[in-house]
């Protein structure tokens, strides 16, 4: 599993943030589907992915306000 840190997110452009958001949302859907069929080895992946999505959304809103 993979998670982005706040400092990494702040360095991204608005377009990159939108791309990453789409990527992480797909990943979250995949994790949820997999978890519903058979339990994940590490269910914390779902939580970390959700948190990364919220970090990206926050960064997106901040960038929109400042530009």
């Amino acid at each position: 599993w993979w998670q982005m840190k706040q400092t990494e997110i702040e360095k991204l452009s608005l377009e990159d943030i939108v791309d990453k958001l789409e990527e992480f949302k797909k990943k979250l859907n995949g994790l949820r589907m997999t978890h519903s069929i058979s339990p994940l080895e590490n269910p914390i992946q779902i939580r970390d992915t959700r948190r990364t999505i919220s970090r990206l959304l926050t960064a997106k809103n901040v960038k929109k306000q400042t530009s």
Side-chain angles (χ1 to χ4, degrees):
W1 56 281
W2 185 65
Q3 165 182 347
M4 291 186 74
K5 295 186 179 178
Q6 190 63 33
T7 53
E8 295 171 336
I9 292 172
E10 289 169 356
K11 293 177 187 173
L12 297 174
S13 69
L14 189 58
E15 297 82 29
D16 291 338
I17 290 174
V18 171
D19 291 342
K20 290 284 183 186
L21 257 173
E22 193 174 312
E23 176 187 326
F24 275 98
K25 284 182 179 181
K26 285 180 184 175
K27 180 182 175 187
L28 181 62
N29 281 337
L31 286 171
R32 285 182 174 159
M33 291 294 252
T34 305
H35 189 61
S36 67
I37 295 167
S38 65
L40 289 173
E41 230 176 83
N42 186 1
I44 293 172
Q45 293 175 51
I46 295 173
R47 183 186 69 192
D48 289 343
T49 305
R50 235 184 27 244
R51 288 183 178 175
T52 300
I53 289 171
S54 64
R55 282 190 196 104
L56 286 165
L57 285 169
T58 302
K60 178 182 164 191
N61 289 332
V62 167
K63 287 202 186 272
K64 276 188 175 180
Q65 286 178 353
T66 57
S67 61

